[in-house]
Amino acid sequence: MRHNRTSIINTALMRVGAQGVTAAFQDAPAAQTAAAAYDRVLTYCLSLHPWSFAMRHAALARGTESPAPGWRYAWPLPADCLRVVTAAADGGEQHICYALAGDALQADAAAVIVSYVSSEAASFPDAFADALAWRVALEIAPYVQQGGGNARDYLEMFERALDRAKVENDVQQRPERVCRSSFLKERMVF
């Protein structure tokens, strides 16, 4: 199942014991607090890992600004880029050395293709949605709950959910890594 903004906010509100978001309750203070925290928390959670559902690839256009010292070219990153995962040249086959400076990638390659985590992911797999909802709950608990609840518990639940989401993402993204035995790998069909 894929999750969206409303389902994740509702889950976070439920976890802190607040009313969910419906047409009648969308103006409730708890719902407004969760909605205000959501975008910042989403950006943070997306930037923590190379999520397969948020991966994008782009050939960069050379920028007009001078590169940082030690580099030949500056390549502006896509506006939705949260995290560069890889940079390559020669049709994407050869990985290159690069540095990030502000919103630009600095490299010596005359053409650059990047793989990156995009901020424009709109729906999320279950495990990521669970981690995101725990993080939203952590952020809003002090404002929604009397006494703020136990932040340490929310943080621990977020970290566990994040670890589980990373493992599920990596297994789905690289199924060949699941089978470490060369004997078994040769005999399994993927």
Side-chain angles (χ1 to χ4, degrees), residues 27-53:
D27 292 331
Q32 290 176 347
T33 301
Y38 178 85
D39 290 331
R40 181 176 38 79
V41 171
L42 174 60
T43 298
Y44 171 72
C45 289
L46 284 171
S47 70
L48 294 176
H49 192 70
W51 304 106
S52 59
F53 63 86

Side-chain angles (χ1 to χ4, degrees), residues 19 37 39 48 73 84 97 119 132 137 146 154 166 173 177:
Q19 183 70 40
D39 290 331
L48 294 176
Y73 305 106
V84 173
C97 293
S119 62
L132 181 56
Q146 191 73 1
Y154 289 124
K166 287 178 179 179
Q173 194 169 352
R177 290 188 178 188

Side-chain angles (χ1 to χ4, degrees), residues 120-140:
E120 295 180 357
S123 66
F124 316 105
D126 291 341
F128 180 84
D130 185 48
L132 181 56
W134 277 115
R135 187 62 192 208
V136 172
L138 170 66
E139 297 287 327
I140 67 172

